[in-house]
Amino acid sequence: METTVCLVRHGETEWNALGKLQGREDVDLTARGAEQAVLTSKYLERRTSWDVIMSSPLTRAKKTAEIISDHLHTDPVIFLDDLIERDLGIASGMSRAEIAERFPDGEIPGQEPLAFVQTRMMKTLEYATQRYSGQNIIMVSHGAAINALLSQLSDGKIGTGKMILQNACLNFVSNHDGKWSIEMYNFTNHLE
């Protein structure tokens, strides 16, 4: 039996537009971010039927998930704390260039360890596939959190340290008889 999960990064926020990294800060979607969520829902609707939508409780993910849910007419969104963004510690609100300059060794005070992010994201993925086995699941989360999961699922071939996930990108993973595979990642053609 196969379970498909589409991991969606939230739509654009003002901080994204400014090039500032956001961790646990609760930054809202821009008008463009809301439009990205609409375009995402239209693409997902054409692809297949979806059984459940889960989301991080942070506003940018929550609103993205609710827009998708409204368009797809699914049950209410399920909010899970483990889908929240990686805590970036004192680097939150900085640009990538500022972080590289201030923390050249990559050691950022207060940043959530990558292994912790991977553990909680994997736990959520496993929970979803057990609870909704054989179904199609949408999970709305965040760039660093999804990247950490993709890195774990690919044994480090993609994900954290290899790419930047775009706003409202789609990342499809499937579980067939307990084995995970990445079908597509950082897909943004639906936004063009």
Side-chain angles (χ1 to χ4, degrees), residues 61-134:
K62 179 181 182 204
K63 285 193 175 176
T64 300
E66 288 172 340
I67 291 168
I68 294 170
S69 177
D70 287 348
H71 188 83
L72 298 180
H73 307 293
T74 63
D75 288 338
V77 177
I78 300 165
F79 297 102
L80 300 173
D81 289 342
D82 281 340
L83 289 173
I84 201 165
E85 179 59 301
R86 182 180 191 180
D87 189 335
L88 300 178
I90 66 171
S92 197
M94 295 181 188
S95 69
R96 291 183 193 284
E98 289 171 314
I99 293 169
E101 183 180 313
R102 285 199 52 196
F103 311 105
D105 61 358
E107 295 296 318
I108 300 170
Q111 184 174 36
E112 181 181 10
L114 178 61
F116 288 18
V117 184
Q118 289 175 322
T119 297
R120 66 179 168 79
M121 289 295 288
M122 202 60 209
K123 181 177 93 173
T124 304
L125 199 58
E126 295 291 349
Y127 160 77
T129 55
Q130 288 170 8
R131 175 79 173 78
Y132 301 99
S133 179

